[in-house]
Amino acid sequence: MNKVLRKRLLRDLRANIGRYLALFLLFVMGIFLVISIVGSSEMIIQGTENQKSKNRVEDGQFTVFLPLCDDDLSALTTDGTQIEPMFSLDLKADDHSTLRLFRNRNSIDLIQLDDGVLAAQDGEAVIEKGYAEAHAIRIGSTVTAGGISFRITGIGSVPDYDMCIAKFSDTAVERTAFGLLFVTGPQYDAVKEHADLNAEEYTYAYRLGNTTDDALKEKIKQIKIDPEQIENRYFRETIDDLLKDRRDMENGINDLKDGAEDLAEGLDELRSHNQDLHDAADALFAQYLAQANQTLASQKIVLTEENYVDTLEALIAATHSSDLAALKSSLDELAEFRQGIYDYTDGAASAADGSAELADGVGELQDNMDELLDEVFDMEIENLTSFVKAEDNIRIAAAAGDVIMDKNAGLVAGIIILALFAYVLSVFVVHQIEQEQSVIGALYALGVKKKDLMLHYITMPTLVAFCAAVVGAVLGFAFGVESQAQDSYAYFSLPVFDVIYPPYLVIYALVLPPLISAIVNAIVINQKLSRTALSLMKNEQSAGSYRQFSLKTKSFPTLFAIRQLVRESRSAMAMMAGMFVSIMVIIMGLDCYVMCNAVKRDTINDTKYAYQYLYKYPDKTPPQDGEAAYIKTLSTDCMGYTLDVTVIGIDSDNPYFDAKPEKGKNKAVINSSLVERFGYQIGDRVTFSDYAADTEYSFTVTGISQYSVGFTIFMDIDSMRELFGQEDDYFNVVYSDKALDIDEGRLYSVTTKDDIARSASVFVKLMFSLVATLIAAGAVIFCVVMYLMMGVMIDRAASGISLIKIFGYRPKEIRSLYLNGNLLIVAVGALVSVPLAKALMDAIYPSFICNVPCSMKLNFPWQLYVILFAAILLIYFVINRLLIGKINRISPAEILKNRE
Amino acid sequence: MYLQVKDVKKSYGKDTSYVQVLKGISTGLERGQMCVIQGTSGSGKSTLLNCIGGLDTMDSGSIIVDGKEIFGLKPAALSDYRRDNLGFIFQFYNLVPNLTVRENIQICQHIAEDPLDMDELLETLGLTEHQNKFPAQLSGGQQQRCAIARALIKNPKLLLCDEPTGALDSKTSRDILILLEAINAKYGTTMLIVTHNNSIKNMVHKVIIIKDGLVKKEYLNETRTPAAELEDL
């Protein structure tokens, strides 16, 4: 019997070839899309993993002020850790784009060439493929950067710039604005000689040995450098400013010591002349005494130092001579003078001794003060300026991270679509069973078992699903995967990956469609085949076959249309489900389009400044016409992804941001992007992380700024300085509406409004193909499901249509009875499905962009809803028109065949 | 004559599968007459009924209903012909299963220019209490009465009945025939009944016997037996 039944399969196929073909194509499209999306995601995920292994991707990287010395490198690599310098220079190309120059890599983050060879000699370079593509650069082309010409010998990519952005804070890849160049070591050194040294970045990549990232980081942090070694004058300025107080104190102590020493030396010098003074005073006294003796020689009187006082007093008393009194007075003054000299020299000697002690004391003070200053002002600083683990590096494996959500969404969406298609298929099978129920009853009566018939009726949909799955899978792997991956290739810097065939995906593609089809059909068919042979043979309509309810309407067409709708509820449900799924797909595309356009539009509108100068070495005072601000990057978690949150400290009168942050270290105004993504509101407590410092910062939201660029919070600049321990006048970014004259060496970057506009436009271009694909796929599903379901409704109503044709109904009246009710389904379905699908898609949309810190404005303009609704109705009317022919082909005599 | 059939020929297929079902049938029927067409399976009686009903086209010949030729009419005109003139009753009722009795009747009421009163008809056919039931909730006889009501609601000039009792038991068949007889009497509806049942010929005004695509015999029944007295139904 089974053999006989099998023969019917081909006849059934031939009889319904159009219908099965449409369903076949639907399944093919569904599997093709799943394979394309999931397969390309897997290709990129696994390809990235393979590339990471093959090209020895880093475990992390760190940047230092000064290149590590050999001893430091030896100390860091004793545990088997590999470290390779990835020093770079940013060079300006002729079109003002930036090319980051590296040496060829030896052991980490190796260059994967798509074409050509590595640079082997001076003047040669390998260029990053994205930049090459955007600038139409080929092997043999010449690229000029930093005033130096390079002949391109190779085009490729590196795993540490999978997302080729200049700064970690950049939100979008701009192939036209930034790329990489790889040259030989000597060539790099030669370029460095010509370039501004300030621009060189001392970054090292590492691959861990028997240690951990944190342990390595701690080791690197132990490496101190003397700031004096750093030649960058702006860095020196900064350091000098930081150490000004120490230097003042050091200089004071030094001056004090020098003075003490000078004093000691002077006094010592003075003391060295004491004896001369003594001798001179003695000689002067002796000379005067000798002159007095000469005068008194006639009186036989000899005056001495010891007797002159008594002798002269005796003589004066005897003679009352005024001359003798004058002589005595002179000798007394000389003696007193001599004693004064003696006293002075004694004092000088003591002072010399004291000053020597003072000098010694000041010397000791200086020594102690140096130790004290070393404690208070650390003259050595950590060489480490940044440490980024590979897992935190958004440039690494970014494409793989980007498509993970695509993969998951594709797998889930695939199941939903396949279930829908299987249900659509089951509607046909049920229709077929209903048509054949008397035959089925007869077969039951002849002994055919239910399971044989189940198998028979499940076989065709299962075969259709399986064949479609095979074709869809083959087409998907052959064309879809590569095609779908173009979006990733167009954005990320990836080598060309080989298509892979993940076993789970092959099983998913080949097994799931027939399996879902078999299950759905088995469930639906089982009920239909559960009736008795007699009931089937009599073609009985059980009382419960149709929902019985009263209708009050007096309009017969309305009444009939409602009854018809209820009768065809299964098809109507399939049509509604198809409409909902297809509208979901279309709305996903429209959401994508609307969001990308909103990001572009709002970013441009919200960027009020013309120039943003980001300082690497901040100045003491902002330049004239510049609005100083303090900017710092924190992080937040979004569905497992770490996203940057920019904190901007501004003055209350900053004209470039529509935010008035209150004073307070824990108060902040958040931007609309954060509100859209996380639903924060005023009064909420929000927390962001500084992973580098292992610190979390919490803020109370005091306001919401309609500023849509990235994730941003605004603080009062003084409060922010206080929070992050900066000086009262610190700033590191300046905004301006005109170009400012700021030394380039002091700056980290200059961003113009044009740059921002260009960057914001990237997503619109990138997502266009995806948007088009989604809308086209949704429209196809919508059209096919609607056509098939409306078609099957007509098929099921063929006898009814035939009947009323016999009664003399005119075509227009028939259409009004059998087709116009569908207008109600479609119109109501659209009115329900569009907002419901929109709400659902908006709810899950954040998961699609969880790795992108951007605003998420998904609001459709009302015109878009009107267009969507009008398009749905238009498609309905077109399909309606197509189905009129089907109605016209139903013969009035059709009813006469029902003779049993 | 209300219905005139002249030399109607109808064939199906080509070459080896060619079959001429009607080979030149000619007959007629007066207004208000009840007529039975009898014949064996394949004799062509249903094909003739379909041609008269405008459901099938004939190869040649002429069918004039109430003075109007239907041969050569286009589908739209045929549709209008059926709409304005005919009522149909089928062996298996062909009720629309998801419509109630009343709604099934409304199908034809909706397109009738001068329909009969629905409630009166329901009463006449004993369907008043069943008017809100669905076909699956009715017995075979009730379903056929519903089908008759549906056919009558637009007050057709010609009622075409294709084995109206073919699916019914004897008692129910009698009830239906009594009903048809009463309708003929009450409304003066001309009726053409295709049947295998040999007893029915006794209640009608005219009998046409067809064999191999030709009218083998036709005669007027001078001694009609009321449906209630028919035997061997």
Side-chain angles (χ1 to χ4, degrees), chain A residues 354-405:
Chain A
S355 67
E357 286 177 18
L358 175 65
D360 289 344
V362 171
E364 285 179 26
L365 175 64
Q366 186 188 35
D367 292 341
N368 292 334
M369 186 60 76
D370 282 346
E371 289 176 16
L372 184 65
L373 288 174
D374 283 343
E375 284 180 20
V376 176
F377 301 95
D378 190 359
M379 279 295 284
E380 286 191 326
I381 60 171
E382 284 177 12
N383 198 6
L384 183 66
T385 61
S386 76
F387 188 94
V388 183
K389 288 187 264 188
E391 64 201 58
D392 298 330
N393 188 338
I394 61 170
R395 291 180 184 135
I396 294 176
D402 188 61
V403 296
I404 283 174
M405 199 54 69

Side-chain angles (χ1 to χ4, degrees), chain A residues 541-544 546-551 553-554 556-557 559-560 563-567 800 803-811 813 817-818 891-893 895-896 898-900, chain B residues 46 50 53-56 78-80 82-84 86 88 90-100 103-104 106-108 110-111 132 134-137 150-151 154 162-163:
Chain A
Q541 296 290 340
S542 70
Y546 302 100
R547 288 197 191 91
Q548 295 163 13
F549 53 92
S550 300
L551 288 167
T553 178
K554 289 184 177 173
F556 179 71
L559 180 148
F560 191 90
R563 293 286 189 203
Q564 179 66 10
L565 273 184
V566 176
R567 178 176 190 249
L803 186 69
I804 63 171
K805 279 190 173 182
I806 287 175
F807 295 152
Y809 271 74
R810 294 167 181 144
E813 291 166 337
L817 294 182
Y818 283 95
S891 158
I895 194 75
L896 304 175
N898 187 12
R899 289 174 177 276
E900 286 186 82
Chain B
S46 289
N50 290 344
L55 303 177
D56 209 348
L78 278 175
S79 181
D80 285 344
R82 291 194 298 270
R83 181 188 186 106
D84 298 337
L86 305 184
F88 286 90
F90 307 97
Q91 180 180 1
F92 294 106
Y93 334 128
N94 288 317
L95 297 176
V96 180
N98 59 324
L99 298 183
T100 63
E103 289 163 0
N104 263 289
Q106 278 183 308
I107 293 176
C108 288
H110 178 64
I111 53 170
N132 292 321
F134 288 87
Q137 296 171 297
R150 182 180 62 186
K154 63 180 183 178
D162 192 358
E163 300 279 11

Side-chain angles (χ1 to χ4, degrees), chain B residues 50-131:
Chain B
N50 290 344
C51 289
I52 294 168
L55 303 177
D56 209 348
T57 55
M58 51 196 159
D59 298 340
S60 63
S62 166
I63 295 176
I64 298 170
V65 178
D66 201 14
K68 185 175 182 181
E69 174 65 68
I70 64 169
F71 178 70
L73 287 182
K74 294 197 165 144
L78 278 175
S79 181
D80 285 344
Y81 156 69
R82 291 194 298 270
R83 181 188 186 106
D84 298 337
N85 297 281
L86 305 184
F88 286 90
I89 296 172
F90 307 97
Q91 180 180 1
F92 294 106
Y93 334 128
N94 288 317
L95 297 176
V96 180
N98 59 324
L99 298 183
T100 63
V101 167
R102 190 180 188 90
E103 289 163 0
N104 263 289
I105 300 168
Q106 278 183 308
I107 293 176
C108 288
Q109 185 191 29
H110 178 64
I111 53 170
E113 282 187 8
D114 183 23
L116 299 178
D117 181 78
M118 169 75 82
D119 293 326
E120 186 186 332
L121 189 61
L122 285 169
E123 186 64 37
T124 303
L125 288 156
L127 290 171
T128 305
E129 62 180 301
H130 304 298
Q131 61 178 310

